[in-house]
Amino acid sequence: PDNISTLPGTLRTAGYQTSLIGKWHLGKSGTPQNHGFDHFYGFLGPQIDYFTHTNQRGELDWQRDGKPLNEDGYSTYLFADEAIRQIKQRGSNHRFFITVAFNAVHIPNAAPAELMAKYQSLPDQEATRAAMIEALDTSIGRILGALDETGLRDQTLVVFFSDNGSGGRAGGSNAPLRGGKGTMFEGGIRTPCLLRWPNHLKPAAESQQLISVHDLFPTLAAAAGVKPPTTAKLDGKNLWDSIRTGNTQDRGTMIIAGSDLALFDSGWKLIETADGTRSLFRLADDPREATNLLAKNPDVAQRLAARLEEAKNGLPAAPPPFRPGRGNPAGRAGSPSP
C-alpha cells in the first residue's frame, strides 16, 4: 500500500534525494515513486534479458521515471553508469540515498563477449556466471571510484548485501551451509552484508550481530540521524549501535517468511515448512543445520511454536514453493537473515 512508510520516503522527508536504479519486482500497479523514490531507472518485473532489456514475454521492460527507454548496453554496466552519473551530478551539496538493485547474478544468465573469453576454460554455464560476477564486481568498483573522485568517500555509508543464497544452478554453491534459494535453511537466507563508512566504522571489523533486511530501515535511518514516522509499524529493529561499536545485542524474535517460515529467538531457529513440518536448530553449535533438536528440546519447541503461530496472524497465504529457474514467486514477508 502507498501509505506504508519506507526508508527512502523517510529520508526524502529529511531532505535526501532518493533513487532506485535496477530491479523493482514489487508489481506494476505501484511504482517506486509511490514508495519514496524521487527517481527510478530500471525494470519493474522479476527478470530481463541483459542486452535487449525485455521480459520473459519478449516485452520491453526498461524505463526512466515512467518513460520507456530503448537503449543499447549490458544492464549491469548501465546501472553503474546511472549511479555514477547521479553521484557526480549531485556532488557534495546534496544528501542522497541511492539503491542500486543489480539484477546480476540472476537468470537469464548472459555476459559480454570480452569477459566470456577470459573464462573459456570453464564449462559454458560456469563461464557465463563467472563473467557476470566479474562485471558486477567491476561495476561496484566503478561506483565506489565515483565517490572517491567527488570527495564523497568519507561522507557516504555504503551497504552491500545479497537477497538470498544460490538457487543451486550451475556454478553456484552455498557450501558449507545447507539449502539454497527458496528454503529457510541458512544456505537460502544467510547472505553477505558489508558496510563501509570511513571514520565511523572500523575497517575489517566483523560483526556477530543477527540482522535482517527488515532491520535496515530503522538502522540506516538511525545512522543518518533520521527518525522513522511514529506511525510506522516496523518489523525491523534499530541495530546501528551494535554495528558501530561491535557489541552484539539480543535482536529479539525475528521471522523470515516465504513458502516456509523460520523463527529466530535467543540463538534458536525453528523452521516450519509449507506442509506444517517443523525442525529446530541451535545455530551457534550447528551452523550447517545437520541435527534437528526438536525431539530433544520439547519445551523450547513449544515456546517457539507459540510465538510462530502468533507471528503468522495476518500473513497472507503462502505462495507455491520456489523452483529454481522458474522465477521468484511473491513471498509472504520474506527477506534475508544474517
Side-chain angles (χ1 to χ4, degrees), residues 124-136:
D124 287 346
Q125 287 186 322
E126 292 184 21
T128 302
R129 186 178 179 89
M132 293 171 71
I133 292 172
E134 179 170 339
L136 175 64

Side-chain angles (χ1 to χ4, degrees), residues 126-264:
E126 292 184 21
T128 302
R129 186 178 179 89
M132 293 171 71
I133 292 172
E134 179 170 339
L136 175 64
D137 189 46
T138 300
S139 296
I140 293 171
R142 291 180 57 223
I143 295 173
L144 296 178
L147 294 174
D148 291 345
E149 293 171 20
T150 53
L152 294 173
R153 178 188 180 99
D154 291 349
Q155 303 173 44
T156 306
L157 170 60
V158 178
V159 184
F160 170 87
F161 61 94
S162 176
D163 60 344
N164 52 252
S166 169
R169 300 180 67 81
S173 172
N174 304 306
L177 302 179
R178 179 180 177 182
K181 179 177 179 179
T183 75
M184 290 296 119
F185 292 116
E186 294 297 283
I189 61 176
R190 183 187 294 218
T191 69
C193 182
L194 301 122
L195 295 87
R196 188 191 77 174
W197 193 6
N199 303 319
H200 291 81
L201 298 175
K202 183 180 178 181
E206 183 173 318
S207 173
Q208 298 300 320
Q209 177 64 52
L210 178 68
I211 186 170
S212 164
V213 165
H214 298 108
D215 302 316
L216 291 184
F217 181 173
T219 299
L220 296 184
V226 176
K227 293 184 178 180
T230 56
T231 56
K233 297 181 179 179
L234 303 180
D235 293 319
K237 307 291 184 183
N238 173 10
L239 300 173
W240 178 241
D241 281 344
S242 293
I243 293 172
R244 181 179 56 83
T245 65
N247 299 320
T248 60
Q249 62 176 277
D250 184 359
R251 163 61 179 72
T253 301
M254 183 175 76
I255 298 286
I256 306 296
S259 299
D260 305 332
L261 301 101
L263 180 145
F264 295 82

